[in-house]
Amino acid sequence: MKKRLFFIITAFVLSLIITLFLSYLLYESYIRSTAQNRRIEHAYKVVLQTSALEKFIKEAETGQRGYLLTNDSSFLKPYLDIRSDIKPGYDSLRRLTSDNGHQQQLLNKAGLLMNKLIDHFQHSVYLKSRGSLLETRGYMDELRKVFKEIEQDEMDLVKSYSVNTYEASMPRYFSAIFLFAAVIIFISFLVILKEYRQRMQYQKQLEQKVLEVNAYNVELEQIAFATSHDLQEPLRRIRTFSDRLLWKYRDQLNDDGQMILSRIDYSARRMQGLLEDLMNFVNLVRGGEQLSVVDANKLMTSAVEYLKQEIEIKRATIHIGQLPEITGFEKQLFLMFKSLIDNAIKFSKPGIPPVVTIQCVQTTGDELVHIDKKLSKKQFIRISVQDNGIGFSNEFSQKIFLIFQRLHAGAEYEGKGIGLAIVERVMTNHNGYVLASAQIDKGALFNLYFPVPEA
């Protein structure tokens, strides 16, 4: 299972890396394509401007020739507008090629040639002489050559951007990466398919186990019913007949006989108490009670009233501070408070009246970080139950919450080993926590942490 999980994670990471790498290549391709488009657009503008300049010079030359041949001044319009026509185009070429030193030199040369041509046009028109036409043609050919060189330089730059080693190797990169990704995806698909089939088998097995557990639960329900009814009846009969025997034949029984009957009655009462506590615990596990807002003060007072006889026998003192309202299961909370008070009274020091102090504060979960670090950020209502009894060693602070776990022999103390198990179960049902701390002969402290509902 771990190997398959490792392979799936590795395949996912590799797929992610491949996706990121392909995205990077695509981004690089986009950047280069954008730069290429800008270069082509730049070359187009340069060619367009050189063509426009060449056109203006050619029209001026044609107008000059027409005027010299026909003596018609209407041919002179292109010549008269030549300087205003070529200046914007020439300045634009200057700006477009400002980052290219070679083209700037060519433009300087073109500017000189255009000035010479305009001077020749002016001289010919002014003198009405055709003698300089041949020289003008030479300048025109040289100017066309310069413009062609500028345009060729732009085309070479475009080609250098469009054809390079990176772009030539791109198809191979993509082919290799896509092939590798396809292999990874195929293998991952096979592993996931195998994992899916195994999980389907696990699910079927789990469903079978759930059916078995439900069957066991039905049997446990029957056992619980028998415990609460059928097993209680013989115990009641034992106690009834032992009481009748002791009352009817008291004068005929010696001290040993009366002691035996007394022990029978005590054992029956203890067994009956164990069954009752066990049923209480089973009912806590089964649940079924509805949540309600519970006044903890009234509930604690009711628990004290329920234990009034034991409190009077031990001459115990119960100090109850101001307790809040708690959203929970009322019967379960009553059972828990009763168990805690009863536990404090039972495990008191001989000859010293028990003193039980119950207090409440709202606090954070800093004391619960050993259970879960996230609890430190939550708010809790902490109810503390402290006594002055025999205490216990802190090494048993977890063991005491296990069902039927006792730290003392039954001859010493009457505890049945289920009271604190009930406490922990009730706190679990309320999504809370219980912590115990104590020192031998210095009493015990039980802290109950109820989570505060978030607003």
Side-chain angles (χ1 to χ4, degrees):
M1 182 69 74
K2 290 183 178 179
K3 290 182 179 179
R4 288 195 296 272
L5 182 61
F6 174 77
F7 177 81
I8 292 173
I9 294 174
T10 304
F12 172 76
V13 172
L14 286 176
S15 301
L16 181 62
I17 292 173
I18 290 170
T19 303
L20 292 175
F21 185 63
L22 287 175
S23 301
Y24 170 75
L25 291 180
L26 185 61
Y27 175 74
E28 281 289 309
S29 178
Y30 169 76
I31 294 297
R32 290 175 180 272
S33 176
T34 304
Q36 174 70 2
N37 290 336
R38 285 199 298 266
R39 172 51 59 184
I40 292 173
E41 183 181 357
H42 181 273
Y44 172 76
K45 290 179 180 179
V46 170
V47 171
L48 194 63
Q49 291 295 344
T50 55
S51 299
L53 290 176
E54 185 177 351
K55 176 186 174 184
F56 289 139
I57 295 295
K58 191 174 182 179
E59 287 178 351
E61 181 192 18
T62 303
Q64 175 216 21
R65 289 177 183 274
Y67 173 73
L68 292 177
L69 292 174
T70 63
N71 205 27
D72 185 356
S73 61
S74 63
F75 285 100
L76 292 178
K77 188 176 187 314
Y79 156 72
L80 296 174
D81 297 336
I82 185 66
R83 289 191 183 275
S84 60
D85 287 339
I86 66 172
K87 188 176 187 316
Y90 184 77
D91 291 342
S92 178
L93 273 176
R94 277 287 195 186
R95 290 192 297 271
L96 286 171
T97 60
S98 60
D99 59 343
N100 192 321
H102 180 247
Q103 288 185 343
Q104 288 286 302
Q105 292 177 1
L106 292 175
L107 278 176
N108 290 335
K109 186 177 180 181
L112 292 175
L113 289 171
M114 284 189 292
N115 285 329
K116 286 181 179 181
L117 283 169
I118 293 171
D119 290 341
H120 274 279
F121 295 160
Q122 186 178 5
H123 182 72
S124 298
V125 169
Y126 181 73
L127 297 178
K128 295 183 179 181
S129 169
R130 301 178 186 178
S132 62
L133 291 178
L134 187 61
E135 188 177 358
T136 299
R137 182 178 179 181
Y139 284 136
M140 279 296 298
D141 291 340
E142 192 173 351
L143 181 61
R144 288 192 186 96
K145 184 179 178 181
V146 172
F147 282 154
K148 287 291 182 183
E149 192 172 349
I150 291 174
E151 292 174 1
Q152 186 60 44
D153 192 42
E154 283 295 321
M155 293 301 104
D156 291 340
L157 288 174
V158 170
K159 289 179 181 179
S160 68
Y161 269 79
S162 61
V163 180
N164 52 57
T165 306
Y166 173 81
E167 292 185 351
S169 61
M170 278 292 289
R172 293 196 298 273
Y173 285 154
F174 275 100
S175 299
I177 292 170
F178 274 120
L179 180 61
F180 180 71
V183 171
I184 292 295
I185 291 172
F186 179 72
I187 296 175
S188 301
F189 173 77
L190 293 179
V191 173
I192 292 172
L193 182 62
K194 183 179 179 181
E195 184 72 16
Y196 172 75
R197 289 176 176 174
Q198 289 185 347
R199 287 189 179 275
M200 289 298 293
Q201 292 178 355
Y202 293 152
Q203 184 175 356
K204 291 180 180 179
Q205 294 175 1
L206 182 60
E207 290 174 354
Q208 183 63 33
K209 292 293 184 183
V210 169
L211 293 176
E212 294 176 2
V213 169
N214 289 335
Y216 295 152
N217 286 336
V218 171
E219 294 177 359
L220 289 175
E221 289 285 346
Q222 294 173 353
I223 294 173
F225 181 82
T227 301
S228 60
H229 294 83
D230 298 341
L231 295 182
Q232 292 278 11
E233 180 61 24
L235 290 174
R236 285 193 290 268
R237 287 181 175 275
I238 291 173
R239 292 191 61 189
T240 300
F241 286 123
S242 64
D243 288 342
R244 289 180 62 184
L245 185 63
L246 184 62
W247 176 77
K248 190 172 183 179
Y249 299 101
R250 179 186 300 274
D251 296 336
Q252 300 178 27
L253 292 173
N254 56 19
D255 292 340
D256 288 339
Q258 293 182 13
M259 181 191 69
I260 292 171
L261 282 177
S262 176
R263 287 187 176 182
I264 291 174
D265 182 66
Y266 171 78
S267 297
R269 282 190 293 108
R270 182 172 176 79
M271 185 64 183
Q272 198 169 17
L274 281 170
L275 288 175
E276 289 175 357
D277 287 343
L278 184 59
M279 279 308 303
N280 287 331
F281 188 80
V282 171
N283 290 331
L284 291 176
V285 175
R286 286 190 302 186
E289 188 180 355
Q290 295 296 321
L291 281 171
S292 62
V293 178
V294 180
D295 188 340
N297 278 308
K298 292 182 179 179
L299 210 60
M300 192 68 75
T301 303
S302 298
V304 171
E305 185 65 25
Y306 185 88
L307 297 170
K308 184 176 181 181
Q309 185 177 353
E310 289 82 354
I311 292 172
E312 290 177 351
I313 293 173
K314 289 290 188 77
R315 295 182 293 114
T317 303
I318 313 295
H319 299 292
I320 303 175
Q322 185 64 34
L323 301 180
E325 290 185 341
I326 299 173
T327 300
F329 305 105
E330 184 173 0
K331 293 180 181 179
Q332 295 185 22
L333 291 172
F334 173 80
L335 189 61
M336 179 181 69
F337 292 150
K338 179 176 75 69
S339 297
L340 284 171
I341 297 173
D342 185 46
N343 188 77
I345 294 172
K346 284 179 179 177
F347 295 98
S348 60
K349 288 185 282 189
I352 299 178
V355 178
V356 183
T357 304
I358 302 167
Q359 296 176 327
C360 175
V361 295
Q362 183 166 332
T363 182
T364 61
D366 291 334
E367 298 174 10
L368 303 172
V369 291
H370 64 283
I371 300 174
D372 189 345
K373 293 182 180 179
K374 296 179 181 178
L375 295 175
S376 62
K377 300 178 181 179
K378 295 185 177 182
Q379 293 290 320
F380 291 88
I381 294 174
R382 186 185 69 194
I383 297 179
S384 303
V385 180
Q386 188 168 16
D387 61 58
N388 63 337
I390 60 173
F392 56 85
S393 175
N394 274 324
E395 64 179 297
F396 303 112
S397 60
Q398 296 300 319
K399 182 180 178 181
I400 58 175
F401 293 109
L402 300 177
I403 190 169
F404 297 132
Q405 292 292 322
R406 296 169 50 84
L407 302 183
H408 306 280
E412 296 180 84
Y413 299 95
E414 296 182 0
K416 297 185 284 292
I418 199 171
L420 294 180
I422 289 175
V423 171
E424 185 178 49
R425 185 69 240 184
V426 171
M427 292 306 298
T428 300
N429 291 349
H430 287 79
N431 298 317
Y433 304 89
V434 56
L435 297 182
S437 61
Q439 294 183 21
I440 296 176
D441 292 331
K442 292 187 178 180
L445 171 65
F446 294 90
N447 286 324
L448 310 174
Y449 294 86
F450 293 89
V452 176
E454 297 181 0

